[in-house]
């Protein structure tokens, strides 16, 4: 059985539809940073997602080739994630999605060292004919956060975020955004196959004790 991060770490990938406090440990990711409207056809975001999956699946399928990674175990490729912000905007302005800046990313197992990542990146570029220069190896420890499952369209997320902010204030927490700690989303549904009202997205907000 392939290791499934969603099932093994339900506290991070399968939260309840009400705000809760979580302490997120260090994780490794394949990541691409960019800017622009995520809905733009052929835009930077959609290209970034293609890059991420090409590297993630190269790592997963390395078991079929001659290159062997120390400590390798078979795994289900985790869901797509994203860090989001808009410069000079408090909260989010959904009327100007072109102003979004983002880091799109997919979690990778701890056995993937920087050296193995570079191998996978080069192998994916060779096989897929892609320019993967922007793909990065990222180690991130989010720490203290408030998270909640959002069910529905992405444009309805501000209502869930408002509930999270109310919960934070009631429990004695303050938002703690910085260049290292951003609004975080984990996409549990494929928007190409799921009705907007049924989309499931983990929302995560960095906080500190007030």
């Amino acid at each position: 059985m392939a290791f499934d991060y969603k099932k093994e770490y339900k506290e991070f990938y399968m939260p309840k539809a009400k705000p809760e406090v979580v302490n997120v440990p260090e994780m490794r990711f394949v990541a691409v940073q960019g800017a622009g409207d995520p809905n733009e056809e052929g835009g930077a975001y959609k290209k970034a997602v293609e890059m991420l999956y090409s590297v993630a699946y190269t790592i997963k399928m390395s078991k079929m080739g001659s290159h062997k990674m120390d400590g390798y175990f078979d795994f289900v490729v985790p869901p797509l994630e994203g860090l989001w912000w808009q410069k000079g905007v408090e909260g989010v302005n959904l009327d100007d999605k072109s102003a979004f800046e983002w880091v799109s990313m997919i979690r990778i197992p701890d056995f993937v060292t920087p050296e193995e990542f570079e191998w996978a990146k080069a192998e994916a570029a060779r096989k897929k004919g892609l320019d993967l220069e922007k793909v990065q190896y990222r180690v991130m420890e989010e720490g203290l956060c408030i998270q909640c499952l959002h069910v529905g369209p992405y444009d309805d997320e501000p209502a869930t975020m408002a509930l999270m902010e109310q919960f934070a204030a009631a429990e004695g927490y303050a938002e703690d955004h910085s260049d290292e700690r951003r609004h975080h989303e984990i996409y549990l549904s494929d928007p190409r196959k799921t009705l907007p009202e049924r989309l499931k997205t983990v929302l995560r907000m960095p906080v500190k004790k007030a």
Side-chain angles (χ1 to χ4, degrees):
M1 292 288 290
F3 187 89
D4 190 335
Y5 284 91
K6 295 194 304 297
K7 293 179 179 178
E8 298 297 330
Y9 296 102
K10 291 182 179 179
E11 66 269 35
F12 303 128
Y13 297 99
M14 307 293 283
K16 299 174 183 177
K18 61 181 183 179
E20 60 187 0
V21 179
V22 65
N23 202 342
V24 186
E26 181 179 282
M27 299 179 187
R28 289 165 173 76
F29 297 90
V30 51
V32 174
Q33 183 166 342
D37 186 341
N39 299 318
E40 180 187 353
E41 286 299 327
Y45 181 80
K46 302 236 170 133
K47 290 178 181 176
V49 171
E50 180 184 9
M51 295 177 197
L52 295 177
Y53 277 108
S54 70
V55 176
Y57 274 99
T58 296
I59 294 167
K60 173 180 170 61
M61 299 310 296
S62 65
K63 63 181 180 179
M64 306 297 291
S66 59
H67 184 90
K68 303 302 180 185
M69 298 188 184
D70 287 343
Y72 177 93
F73 56 82
D74 194 15
F75 62 98
V76 177
V77 172
L80 182 69
E81 308 188 28
L83 307 177
W84 296 88
W85 67 98
Q86 290 171 311
K87 286 183 179 177
V89 176
E90 185 173 343
V92 61
N93 177 12
L94 293 175
D95 293 329
D96 187 11
K97 293 179 181 175
S98 65
F100 272 123
E101 301 199 37
W102 39 262
V103 176
S104 188
M105 55 194 192
I106 295 174
R107 186 176 181 178
I108 51 178
D110 288 354
F111 65 72
V112 183
T113 63
E115 293 75 22
E116 295 291 14
F117 165 78
E118 290 298 335
W119 171 84
K121 181 175 169 179
E123 184 72 358
R126 181 182 69 82
K127 285 188 173 181
K128 301 290 186 180
L130 295 171
D131 179 359
L132 300 180
E133 183 180 354
K134 292 183 179 179
V135 183
Q136 303 169 339
Y137 181 86
R138 185 183 184 103
V139 180
M140 186 172 74
E141 182 175 353
E142 278 187 282
L144 195 63
C145 296
I146 289 173
Q147 70 179 15
C148 185
L149 178 66
H150 170 76
V151 181
Y154 301 130
D155 284 358
D156 289 352
E157 288 179 9
T160 301
M161 289 300 299
L163 292 176
M164 295 167 67
E165 290 163 3
Q166 292 167 15
F167 174 83
E171 296 296 319
Y173 293 94
E175 294 185 49
D176 189 30
H177 293 94
S178 69
D179 289 347
E180 301 299 323
R181 309 188 78 209
R182 302 289 192 183
H183 170 77
H184 188 169
E185 301 185 359
I186 303 174
Y187 306 104
L188 303 180
S189 307
D190 185 340
R192 299 169 300 176
K193 304 175 182 178
T194 309
L195 293 172
E197 61 268 25
R198 295 185 179 177
L199 290 170
K200 293 183 177 180
T201 309
V202 180
L203 303 184
R204 195 175 288 162
M205 178 176 72
V207 295
K208 61 184 176 182
K209 270 293 185 181

